[in-house]
Amino acid sequence: MNTHDIRPITDPSRPKVYIETYGCQMNVNDSEVILSILQDAGYALTEDIEQASVILANTCSIRDNAEQRIWGRIDQFKLQKRKRNGVVIGIVGCMAERLKDKLLEAVDLVAGPDAYRSLPQLLAAITPSEPQINVLLSHEETYADISPVRMDRNGVSAFISIMRGCNNVCSYCVVPYTRGKERSRDPYTIVREAEQLFANGYKEVTLLGQNVDSYYWKDEDNADRNVNFAQLLEMVAKISPELRVRFSTSHPKDISDEVIYTMAMYENICRHIHLPVQSGSSVMLEKMRRKYDREWYLERVAKIRSVIPDCGLTTDVIAGFCGETEQDHKDTLSLMEQVVFDSAFMFAYSERPGTLASRRYPDDIPYEVKTARLNEIIALQGRMSLKSNEKEIGKVLKVLVEGPSKKNPDELCGRASSNKMCVFPSRGEKAGDYCEVKVTAVTSATLLCERIG
Ligand code: 5AD
Ligand code: SF4
């Protein structure tokens, strides 16, 4: 593992790289890997685009509007090129993978999610007439030996990628095409990275993968040393009771009882599962190729709650998938009412070229209907979030302080184990301290707490 500083270096003599990150947490972590590689090659980070000699956007393709935003940003990056000689613009990540040729006409550098090790060579080879590209997907690359340079502001909470790619074939989803085949990272490098973060003052790590439940490390020499996700969770949890462990994303078809029991065994494995349901209709779930139905999902929720009664549950929902009837939509609403998720990411279906759905099923729900259904889902979730938070009133929670509250500098904010955001009066604690609080009032987004002890 490379062992440079965990934080960006500041050396005024180095050429500067500016990185914008779009999309998921995995992309946030990928940008930290990119910075690590570029720091080793002699660059330093800048947060001021006017200072940058290299401008990178780490992009997302999940929905069409994510891609449209990037085209707008490229036009703005080009203004920098006009202002200063030698500025280089690079598009990396999922959109680079998907739209390679079109992007190469617009920028100097295009690099896919498995090509980050080659960034220094690509950058060195760029000339005004020769843009550079590497979008090869790999079956092995996990960046296991690269120690990411952390770009977060408060030094409390960090992401660790435990696997890359995705082998599911959800019919709406572009990720298997942009991020390639699933591969798991050596667990010992994961534990070492978490230990290094803890030694540097971090108090929370989130283990990231498209489908963490299918994490599986095969030891070449000794099958007894194979590691599944539940075992990996335990290995990280054992580093210290003071280090919180989170993970994302779980797949309803794969989340095992072993994972649920492991969570219950360790207080520092946070009681929160992000379990994307996508739809409450078994007909839609079948068409989405999710490989579970409504009953299976509800059974998994019941199991989680029977073992961990206070477990936070969040989800993702797609409105207006191909052929969705009014009844399918009602099934989604009724599932949301039944489960009462703490919060949800909610989207209108966006057809992605190349996916199974785009080839098989017409995107036939009119824009107005999709939007109306999405709005109904959002309004219902608002009520459910409030209902879920109201159940917390009177409870005593252990909160990891993230910093001062945005609205009132005399108050602190931080998350409970369930991932719910708490706000409470400060007694001079700083980011990274733990506080015990009691919930006295709630909104749909926040638990308002008083100090105890
Ligand atoms: N359209 C809308 N939402 C999508 N998601 C994934 N693909 C699409 C799509 N084509 C949503 C899913 C997923 C989340 C990351 O993004 O809900 O869980
Ligand atoms: Fe992340 Fe998916 Fe967007 Fe890629 S397409 S950045 S994997 S959310």
Side-chain angles (χ1 to χ4, degrees), residues 24 62-63 172-175 210 249 274 276 278 290 316-319 345 347-352 355:
C24 59
I62 198 100
R63 284 168 291 276
Y172 50 80
C173 187
V174 78
V175 173
Q210 291 294 342
T249 296
H274 184 62
Q278 313 301 1
R290 290 289 286 173
D316 295 346
V317 180
I318 298 177
F345 295 108
F347 312 103
Y349 172 59
S350 163
E351 186 178 78
R352 307 313 292 130
T355 57

Side-chain angles (χ1 to χ4, degrees), residues 89-291:
I89 301 173
I91 299 297
V92 304
C94 289
M95 193 173 160
E97 193 63 48
R98 208 183 80 72
L99 295 175
K100 28 199 167 250
D101 301 330
K102 202 169 154 207
L103 280 166
L104 207 56
E105 288 166 17
V107 299
D108 307 294
L109 168 73
V110 176
D114 288 342
Y116 299 148
R117 282 181 205 268
S118 68
L119 282 172
Q121 293 76 21
L122 294 172
L123 284 168
I126 291 170
T127 68
S129 60
E130 281 178 297
Q132 297 292 316
I133 181 165
N134 183 353
V135 289
L136 290 177
L137 287 173
S138 154
H139 287 184
E140 283 93 35
E141 180 64 275
T142 59
Y143 301 112
D145 57 321
I146 292 177
S147 171
V149 175
R150 305 294 164 178
M151 287 190 260
D152 62 279
R153 292 196 181 270
N154 66 8
V156 171
S157 187
F159 301 117
I160 302 181
S161 292
I162 62 165
M163 58 207 295
R164 298 184 71 81
C166 186
N167 279 359
N168 295 323
V169 276
C170 302
S171 60
Y172 50 80
C173 187
V174 78
V175 173
Y177 307 94
T178 61
R179 284 188 171 263
K181 284 244 168 298
E182 181 185 289
R183 58 228 109 111
S184 295
R185 175 178 168 191
D186 179 334
Y188 303 98
T189 69
I190 296 169
V191 170
R192 230 179 306 151
E193 193 174 318
E195 284 171 344
Q196 193 193 16
L197 285 162
F198 186 58
N200 278 274
Y202 281 81
K203 295 290 176 59
E204 186 173 85
V205 293
T206 304
L207 308 182
L208 292 177
Q210 291 294 342
N211 176 3
V212 291
D213 305 290
S214 64
Y215 174 88
Y216 199 73
W217 172 257
K218 283 198 183 117
D219 192 294
E220 297 285 317
D221 307 317
N222 182 353
D224 291 342
R225 281 165 58 92
N226 290 355
V227 176
N228 68 16
F229 181 59
Q231 291 162 329
L232 177 71
L233 257 184
E234 182 162 38
M235 286 162 72
V236 180
K238 278 181 169 165
I239 291 172
S240 166
E242 288 290 296
L243 179 68
R244 278 183 166 185
V245 188
R246 297 186 181 277
F247 55 90
S248 189
T249 296
S250 302
H251 196 303
K253 81 176 161 67
D254 291 323
I255 186 165
S256 66
D257 290 355
E258 193 188 354
V259 166
I260 300 169
Y261 288 123
T262 304
M263 288 176 75
M265 260 163 49
Y266 291 89
E267 205 244 352
N268 59 326
I269 303 181
C270 289
R271 272 117 183 80
H272 171 226
I273 300 177
H274 184 62
L275 198 66
V277 66
Q278 313 301 1
S279 170
S281 154
S282 293
V283 179
M284 287 294 105
L285 290 169
E286 165 80 39
K287 245 179 153 174
M288 289 174 165
R289 295 278 194 287
R290 290 289 286 173
K291 302 205 174 88

